[in-house]
Amino acid sequence: METNINNPGKAAMVRAMFAEIAPRYDLLNHALSFNVDRHWRKFTVRKLEDVLKRPGARSLDLCCGTGDLSLELGARAETIGLDFCHPMLKLAMSKVGASIASVEIIEGDALRVPLPDAAFDVVTIGFGLRNLESIDGGLREIFRLLKRGGRAAVLEFSRPRARAFRGLFDFYFTRVLPRIGNAVSGSGFAYDYLPDSVKDFPDQEALATMMRTIGFSNVRYYNLFGGVAALHMGDKP
Ligand SMILES: C[S@@+](CC[C@H](N)C(=O)[O-])C[C@H]1O[C@@H](n2cnc3c(N)ncnc32)[C@H](O)[C@@H]1O
């Protein structure tokens, strides 16, 4: 399988694409996933709850987009949400302003985060890792930012496990979703890029192996909706 482990020049395309679809991003996320995406983010935060409960815990949500995962984290611990797409962040900021969650939003690159080493108990990246120029670079940056004993959570599309379901899902994901997504978002291509980028992304085992190679311990993953998405977690020893 080919993986987009290094993909120079991708960042500008990705930033422009999310800027274009930002106004319809949340609507399409919830509609095209039949609202399942909300459960996936809540599940992620539940699996982090023990760490988020530590006194003075701090979390960082990379590629925070419109801020849904940051807000879930920020309801439990002081949280920073970071993204490099200004129109997505403007939406995140207005949601943060309307909530009581403790979230600070900053603009920056997930591959060069302008924050010190070992500053966070939790670092998350939700549907972001696949979009980076370097998956390995993103995982290394997460490792750098975590305190010892801290936990990484990578929520991302993955590979459905059952063959029959995979066929059905592939039809929806490559034929139905792009038509609706492109039409509603007004983008000529963002929702074709989505299945293409998932195809190039490491599967469950390959991503777990990358995390172990970088130095994460206790690496494990949870298949969500039969493996349509997976939540990978690892600790910094
Ligand atoms: C699919 S959205 C996910 C947003 C959010 N985490 C969620 O769960 O809905 C991907 C986000 O990653 C951001 N992104 C991609 N590459 C990035 C990078 N190198 N640095 C910061 N943000 C990046 C995009 O701007 C976009 O907002």
Side-chain angles (χ1 to χ4, degrees):
M1 181 195 33
E2 197 184 311
T3 60
N4 64 343
I5 284 169
N6 275 303
N7 214 334
K10 185 175 170 183
M13 178 282 284
V14 165
R15 194 193 287 111
M17 183 182 76
F18 281 104
E20 186 183 29
I21 66 171
R24 295 286 159 114
Y25 176 82
D26 282 343
L27 171 76
L28 280 165
N29 248 1
H30 305 325
L32 293 172
S33 76
F34 306 100
N35 258 334
V36 172
D37 65 309
R38 294 183 201 265
H39 296 288
W40 292 343
R41 292 190 193 85
K42 285 186 191 298
F43 179 82
T44 301
V45 174
R46 274 208 304 279
K47 292 286 173 196
L48 294 166
E49 209 119 63
D50 56 321
V51 185
L52 294 168
K53 272 189 191 145
R54 290 177 189 164
R58 298 182 71 214
S59 74
L60 172 65
D61 181 30
L62 297 176
C63 298
C64 69
T66 59
D68 284 357
L69 184 54
S70 307
L71 285 165
E72 293 284 343
L73 293 162
R76 290 152 179 90
E78 208 178 290
T79 297
I80 294 178
L82 174 141
D83 201 284
F84 71 0
C85 178
H86 194 71
M88 294 287 273
L89 288 182
K90 271 172 61 183
L91 293 163
M93 281 174 204
S94 71
K95 287 191 213 170
V96 168
S99 90
I100 54 160
S102 169
V103 180
E104 181 191 351
I105 297 290
I106 63 174
E107 197 160 335
D109 189 336
L111 290 172
R112 283 165 286 272
V113 176
L115 295 167
D117 295 356
F120 296 93
D121 301 271
V122 162
V123 180
T124 59
I125 183 162
F127 306 103
L129 191 60
R130 172 175 45 87
N131 294 300
L132 301 183
E133 287 188 351
S134 166
I135 295 169
D136 184 67
L139 291 173
R140 285 183 193 281
E141 193 62 344
I142 291 171
F143 193 81
R144 177 185 76 75
L145 290 156
L146 278 173
K147 294 179 188 170
R148 285 183 186 280
R151 191 174 302 161
V154 179
L155 176 62
E156 192 49 271
F157 287 108
S158 199
R159 299 282 183 294
R161 306 316 285 165
R163 189 187 286 248
F165 176 56
R166 190 158 59 225
L168 202 65
F169 176 73
D170 278 353
F171 179 77
Y172 172 71
F173 206 50
T174 60
R175 303 284 178 83
V176 179
L177 178 145
R179 287 188 186 193
I180 301 173
N182 287 335
V184 175
S185 69
S187 165
F189 121 103
Y191 289 84
D192 287 307
Y193 162 83
L194 172 59
D196 287 348
S197 64
V198 174
K199 185 164 55 64
D200 290 343
F201 191 70
D203 67 12
Q204 287 89 332
E205 273 305 318
L207 183 59
T209 300
M210 287 182 79
M211 291 178 72
R212 288 188 193 103
T213 304
I214 285 166
F216 287 100
S217 62
N218 196 17
V219 173
R220 64 271 191 203
Y221 61 82
Y222 305 89
N223 283 315
L224 305 172
F225 212 79
V228 165
L231 171 63
H232 282 70
M233 300 191 125
D235 303 327
K236 180 163 171 178

